[in-house]
């Protein structure tokens, strides 16, 4: 049990690091270049991990690897930035908070694993808590932006579910590196066609891009895929709620952004939701409980 909670805490570092992306992007990087930022975040990190692992996927593995790269990196990042441009950040985050529920739905629909009642209600509470934390009364309900945010949530939820279901045989560093590199190549045409050329970069900008690459991609995705190899996809996806929560806390600590009673209630609700999902996923299923109880009685 202790080792499982260690895995949970290590995996939780990934969305916590991703939560710092907003403040790094707005404070350190050149503005209005979202796809370039995503490209420079994931492609160099992927190449570094590929060089370090020196593992070439087998011929039969490329199809699934391309699907995972698109869902976890390429498609997700592209839709994420479309949503960010067309929606207030709060609304985009609330729609993204549906990921745990989407993963539960995939596991139920494709594997017949009905979600635990506690986990399902905790997932709903997480969406409600995110709404209380981030939504403002004047939120703009842009149709294209909402479809992009929901599409990004579906892509990431599907990638999370399939990564666990397929259990790729590649070592962790290679699996992470190839997904980041292939996803980066998918983003390259968008950065070339839609973003302005980069200006001359100073030390601050290089520092920002370096942080996003080494911490926001290389380290964070290593921890994320490590968690997917050890924990259930529902447990991992619920930890993703910590990303916008971290962004809010950093804005409060570093930028002086206010947190009122409603926002604090939402923050507490999101934390309680994440904890409830983790506890429900840690509990053995009913059949296993009966076996364990019977074995304990036999020993006594």
């Amino acid at each position: 049990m202790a080792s499982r909670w260690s895995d949970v805490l290590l995996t939780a570092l990934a969305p916590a690091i991703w939560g710092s992306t907003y403040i790094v992007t707005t404070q350190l990087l050149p503005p209005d270049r979202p796809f370039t930022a995503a490209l420079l975040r994931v492609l160099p990190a992927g190449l570094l991990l590929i060089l370090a692992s020196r593992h070439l996927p087998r011929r039969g593995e490329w199809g699934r690897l391309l699907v995972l790269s698109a869902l976890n990196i390429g498609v997700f990042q592209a839709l994420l930035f479309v949503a960010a441009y067309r929606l207030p950040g709060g609304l985009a985050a609330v729609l993204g908070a549906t990921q745990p529920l989407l993963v539960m739905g995939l596991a139920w629909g494709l594997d017949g694993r009905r979600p635990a009642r506690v986990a399902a209600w905790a997932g709903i509470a997480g969406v409600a808590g995110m709404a209380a934390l981030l939504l403002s009364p004047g939120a703009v309900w842009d149709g294209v932006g909402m479809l992009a945010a929901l599409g990004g949530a579906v892509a990431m939820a599907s990638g999370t579910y399939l990564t666990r279901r397929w259990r790729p045989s590649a070592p962790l560093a290679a699996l992470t590196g190839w997904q980041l590199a292939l996803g980066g190549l998918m983003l390259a045409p968008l950065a070339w066609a839609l973003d302005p050329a980069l200006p001359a970069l100073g030390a601050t900008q290089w520092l920002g891009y370096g942080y996003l690459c080494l911490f926001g991609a290389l380290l964070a995705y290593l921890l994320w895929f490590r968690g997917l190899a050890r924990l259930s996809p529902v447990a991992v996806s619920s930890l993703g709620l910590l990303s916008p929560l971290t962004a809010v806390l950093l804005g409060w600590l570093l930028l002086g952004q206010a947190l009122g009673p409603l926002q604090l209630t939402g923050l507490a609700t999101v934390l309680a939701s994440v904890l409830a999902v983790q506890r429900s996923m840690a509990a053995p299923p009913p059949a296993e409980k009966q076996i364990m109880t019977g074995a304990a009685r036999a020993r006594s």
Side-chain angles (χ1 to χ4, degrees):
M1 182 64 73
S3 63
R4 184 192 181 279
W5 283 105
S6 297
D7 292 333
V8 169
L9 291 175
L10 281 173
T11 308
L13 286 176
I17 294 171
W18 292 332
S20 66
T21 298
Y22 173 77
I23 197 167
V24 170
T25 301
T26 56
Q27 301 300 310
L28 301 181
L29 301 187
D32 302 325
R33 292 166 176 84
F35 296 111
T36 300
L39 173 64
L40 294 178
R41 176 186 182 183
V42 300
L43 184 57
L47 294 176
L48 285 173
L49 287 173
I50 290 172
L51 289 173
S53 65
R54 298 184 180 182
H55 176 87
L56 185 66
R58 294 191 293 268
R59 181 178 300 179
E61 296 175 333
W62 283 102
R64 289 185 172 183
L65 185 58
L66 284 169
V67 171
L68 294 178
S69 302
L71 293 173
N72 287 321
I73 311 296
V75 173
F76 171 69
Q77 291 283 341
L79 291 176
L80 177 70
F81 281 112
V82 171
Y85 262 72
R86 301 187 67 105
L87 293 177
L91 180 54
V94 171
L95 295 172
T98 59
Q99 284 184 38
L101 294 172
L102 292 171
V103 173
M104 292 181 208
L106 287 170
W108 191 0
L110 298 179
D111 292 339
R113 294 202 305 267
R114 186 171 183 171
R117 187 173 301 177
V118 171
W121 281 110
I124 295 171
V127 177
M130 199 67 70
L133 178 63
L134 295 173
L135 275 186
S136 62
V140 179
W141 300 80
D142 178 85
V144 174
M146 291 178 65
L147 286 175
L150 285 173
V154 170
M156 189 64 173
S158 301
T160 298
Y161 169 77
L162 290 175
T163 301
R164 176 67 177 182
R165 189 185 195 198
W166 287 344
R167 297 177 183 268
S169 61
L172 175 63
L175 175 65
T176 306
W178 280 108
Q179 288 191 69
L180 289 171
L182 293 172
L185 292 175
M186 297 173 192
L187 291 166
L190 295 174
W192 178 270
L194 300 178
D195 284 356
L198 280 173
L201 299 178
T204 300
Q205 287 77 34
W206 281 113
L207 182 64
Y209 283 122
Y211 174 83
L212 291 182
C213 174
L214 296 177
F215 291 91
L218 192 152
L219 176 60
Y221 274 104
L222 275 175
L223 292 172
W224 186 255
F225 290 124
R226 177 189 179 276
L228 277 173
R230 295 166 179 255
L231 303 169
S232 78
V234 173
V236 174
S237 65
S238 76
L239 294 173
L241 300 182
L242 298 177
S243 179
L245 189 148
T246 302
V248 169
L249 290 176
L250 287 175
W252 172 64
L253 286 170
L254 301 178
L255 302 179
Q257 296 173 350
L259 286 177
L262 180 61
Q263 287 74 34
L264 290 173
T265 301
L267 187 149
T269 302
V270 172
L271 286 175
S273 165
V274 172
L275 183 59
V277 171
Q278 299 308 314
R279 289 179 65 86
S280 69
M281 291 296 103
E288 186 176 338
K289 285 183 179 179
Q290 293 174 5
I291 293 172
M292 293 170 62
T293 303
R297 289 175 178 172
R299 287 195 299 268
S300 62

